Amino acid sequence: MEESGRYTVIVRGPSCAADTSDAVTMTVNKEEAKFTVEKRERMMPQSADTCGIPVKVTLKNESTPATGLTYAWEITDSSDEQVPTTVAKFIEGTDSTSENPIIQFNLKGSYTIRLRIKGACFDPNNPDGPEDPVDPDNPDQESDGRYVHEENVVIVYPQANPQAISECEDLSPNAPPLTINGSQLIGSQDGKLDYNLGTLRPGSIQWTIVSGTGATISDPTAENPRFTFPKRGSYVVSLVYANECEFSDVLQGPTLINIDFTPLPAKPFLQVTQTSTCAGGTYEIAPSPNDPTKLYNFYSSATSTTPLNTSGPVPSYFAGPVTSRMVFYITAVENGCESLERAEFTINIIQQDIQNTIGTAQTICADTKPAALTGNDARVGTNRPIYLWESRTEGETEFSPAEGRNDQQSYSPSELSQTTDYRRTVTFEGCETPNLSNVITIEVLPVIDPSENTIEVDRALVCRGDAPTFSGNLLSGDIEYVWQSSTTSATAGFVDAAAASGSDNKNGASFTPAFVSQPTWFRRVARYKNSNCGFVPSAEAIKIDIEELPQAPIVKSADVSTCQGSSATLEVLPATGNFTYAWYTEATGGTPIGSGSPFATPPLTGNATFYVEAISANECVSARRTAVRVTVAPISANAGRDTTIIQGQIVQLNATGGNTYKWTPTTGLDNPNVANPLASPSVTTTYTVTVSSGAGCEAVDDVTITVLPRIVIVNTFSPNRDGINETWEIQNIENFPDATVEIFNRYGAQVFKSTGYSQPWDGTHNGSPLPLATYYYIIRLKKDEKPFTGSVTIIK
């Protein structure tokens, strides 16, 4: 026992719940030798022939307990030989028994300072203290004897403290490399090398990757470079550097640092991946039951990072008491590395995993034998079930063992005269609570009375090729129906009736047969579903008779003409019999657009064909429709394109599409009765033309002539900055946004030009006022029209 505290004892068994003892308080009197090198400093004067010495080393005693101990200090060289006082001696009033001695070293080298303590627990037969059974020869380990402690001291020589790196490899494709600083490889807290009482000799640092593939150094000559290692394989890094006195490798050779990536173990192999136990039991999960040196971690989920075995990897794990199905996720642990993949192990609860179901319910007639009741195999793992079939008749509340062989997986009942429930119980050895299956009922049905099975029809006389619709009452119970037909009589020759497309003959409430071509009797038979009872026919059979279809109508004219946009009148010649007529735009199908004779079509824009059918008083429709073709005389008017003119201009209208033309209004027209009159409206006017054909058909169209007001040009302005008549204004030119205005002096030089006239001319050229004079303009309102020319004078 190493530490004081409260301790308990836990007892576990393979099938019992863990039992924990009461806690007991234990106190451990722990004596331990420990010290640190508190300070190293050079002493003056320095040796003239040997750089860096003498050196004073101050030690700090940290042994426990703080009182009641005696101390013995030893100083040895690299060969573990006692050094003479000429090499190292105690100074400043301290000696080899002082609590915190001070030592002077007069020679460069590597030395070991060792402290031995004696206290109340000192054992003369074991002066170093209790031994570590694993490594008894290493007194520096914390688990070794506590009465001795030693530290290594290097004098003058610069020295790095190698920090071996050991990690688990990562072979995943996207695994990032291990990136560390050089300071991490030598245990430096501030990133600096240990110059050992000196200063760094410039250019002396050399980091080298001695072995291993793929590692890189950011700068091999830097004090604290950056190392990158792929997370696989092993590497050795060396370091050499110097202070002003010595190189670090002179005393003990280059500093070598190991970086190892331990391969991950494989996913654990489980010979058994699941087991079953009774509720409340425990189970020891042992992936390698014959090899206790193999260690594992056990997790509660596939992604959990905290093992259930909190004290570290173990060869097995006790689960329990188990009250519900549990899944454990197991990793292998070797050399401190854990497998990437996890193996699953499932503990099932027998009571929860039982699959205890029996066959479906049945409906049978009285005094008949039902089909055998099948049950599933209720085994759970290797545990064999114990079966018992039970039954109760209608009116009973409790189940009792069923008659006959009732201890098998399935059960075969005898003939039944009343409705009976069945179930199956399953038990397992060691599990006390039985498991009950679902309950199924075998229903014993009464006989159907034919007088209860009645049907009716919507019409007993149908058109040839048509079919009536039958309906029937629905009987009490879960009944199946079949509609039957016979062309023989009301009592014989019945077969299952052919049903209309998209339906069947098993709908008990209604039935539509396929078309009827001759007198036929129909009836409905019924019986209980899922039973061995026979079908019972309806109380009566209904006869359906046939009416022949009327002939196709005869029309007064099969070819009719009309004008475009007008209707046509269609007419049927009277026929013998009481018929009505329906008109369509399709030879078959579609929706009627009118009825009767004569019939006026909708207004027509093109040739069309209409179809008429005859309908009898019993709504029998002729098998064919008669066609009437309507020819439409085409006519269309085109008054031409809309045009824009300037007030006072003349434009010629141009209409097409007929033989005669009439324009309205007549205002501004030279002749309103021709196709192309000349128009000179004073304001914007829309003209409508009516076009007539030789067949008396007419059409209309219109055209708009937009009249723009003339521009008004003044011939003087006075840009003298008095605010009056400062610019050359051109009235109405805003109606011509694409107009161009050009102004020239008397020598023909252009002094102003603009497209559009949104900014009137202010009498300047390039920002400078022009002299008082007469200037000449050219104004083009449109590219293809004659320009306006003239002169304008700038006055005072």
Side-chain angles (χ1 to χ4, degrees), residues 30 74 273 333 371 484 543 619 640 657:
K30 192 172 182 180
E74 301 174 4
T273 59
V333 180
Q484 297 179 332
K543 182 182 179 182
E619 297 186 353

Side-chain angles (χ1 to χ4, degrees), residues 171-184:
L171 301 180
S172 56
N174 299 321
L178 174 66
T179 303
I180 59 175
N181 294 324
S183 60
Q184 294 173 261

Side-chain angles (χ1 to χ4, degrees), residues 340-657:
L340 196 61
E341 294 185 85
R342 301 180 179 187
E344 293 185 23
F345 185 81
T346 303
I347 300 178
N348 299 302
I349 302 299
I350 290 178
Q351 292 91 330
Q352 296 174 356
D353 287 350
I354 294 175
Q355 297 297 318
N356 182 16
T357 57
I358 60 176
T360 57
Q362 301 177 41
T363 301
I364 63 172
C365 292
D367 300 320
T368 58
K369 181 179 175 62
L373 305 181
T374 58
N376 70 304
D377 185 351
R379 280 182 294 184
V380 178
T382 59
N383 301 279
R384 298 183 64 84
I386 302 170
Y387 299 110
L388 175 63
W389 287 85
E390 298 176 316
S391 65
R392 67 181 177 191
T393 57
E394 191 172 18
E396 293 181 337
T397 58
E398 300 295 330
F399 280 90
S400 59
E403 296 180 351
R405 189 68 182 272
N406 60 14
D407 60 352
Q408 301 298 303
Q409 180 176 325
S410 298
Y411 174 69
S412 181
S414 58
E415 293 181 354
L416 298 177
S417 59
Q418 57 182 321
T419 299
T420 305
D421 293 334
Y422 289 91
R423 75 180 183 188
R424 185 182 69 175
T425 66
V426 175
T427 56
F428 289 86
E429 186 176 354
C431 297
E432 298 178 356
T433 305
N435 180 270
L436 304 179
S437 73
N438 56 302
V439 176
I440 64 168
T441 300
I442 298 181
E443 183 180 4
V444 179
L445 302 172
V447 177
I448 297 174
D449 188 336
S451 63
E452 298 175 353
N453 184 9
T454 60
I455 61 173
E456 57 185 21
V457 70
D458 62 341
R459 51 198 168 120
L461 177 64
V462 297
C463 304
R464 178 171 293 279
D466 200 357
T469 298
F470 293 89
S471 60
N473 67 316
L474 294 180
L475 303 176
S476 176
D478 192 9
I479 307 296
E480 64 176 313
Y481 304 90
V482 177
W483 292 85
Q484 297 179 332
S485 64
S486 171
T487 58
T488 303
S489 71
T491 57
F494 281 94
V495 295
D496 289 353
S501 177
S503 63
D504 60 38
N505 61 5
K506 296 179 173 58
N507 181 358
S510 62
F511 169 67
T512 301
F515 67 89
V516 180
S517 59
Q518 58 182 314
T520 306
W521 287 266
F522 289 88
R523 72 180 186 183
R524 182 183 69 174
V525 295
R527 73 173 178 185
Y528 292 101
K529 289 182 180 179
N530 303 318
S531 75
N532 53 358
C533 301
F535 280 105
V536 176
S538 55
E540 64 173 332
I542 299 177
K543 182 182 179 182
I544 303 300
D545 289 314
I546 307 301
E547 177 183 317
E548 298 300 329
L549 303 180
Q551 297 296 319
I554 299 174
V555 295
K556 183 175 182 179
S557 176
D559 291 286
V560 178
S561 298
T562 189
C563 293
Q564 188 176 32
S566 300
S567 65
T569 300
L570 313 180
E571 191 172 353
V572 177
L573 293 178
T576 302
N578 184 18
F579 298 108
T580 59
Y581 303 97
W583 294 87
Y584 295 82
T585 57
E586 299 89 6
T588 59
T591 302
I593 62 170
S595 62
S597 178
F599 164 68
T601 71
L604 303 176
T605 59
N607 296 341
T609 300
F610 297 88
Y611 302 87
V612 61
E613 66 185 16
I615 306 170
S616 71
N618 196 40
E619 297 186 353
C620 294
V621 180
S622 57
R624 292 186 302 104
R625 296 173 183 170
T626 302
V628 179
R629 293 174 295 278
V630 179
T631 302
V632 177
I635 185 170
S636 63
N638 185 351
R641 294 186 301 174
D642 294 342
T643 304
T644 300
I645 64 174
I646 300 173
Q647 190 176 38
Q649 289 183 330
I650 298 174
V651 64
Q652 187 173 39
L653 306 183
N654 189 15
T656 59

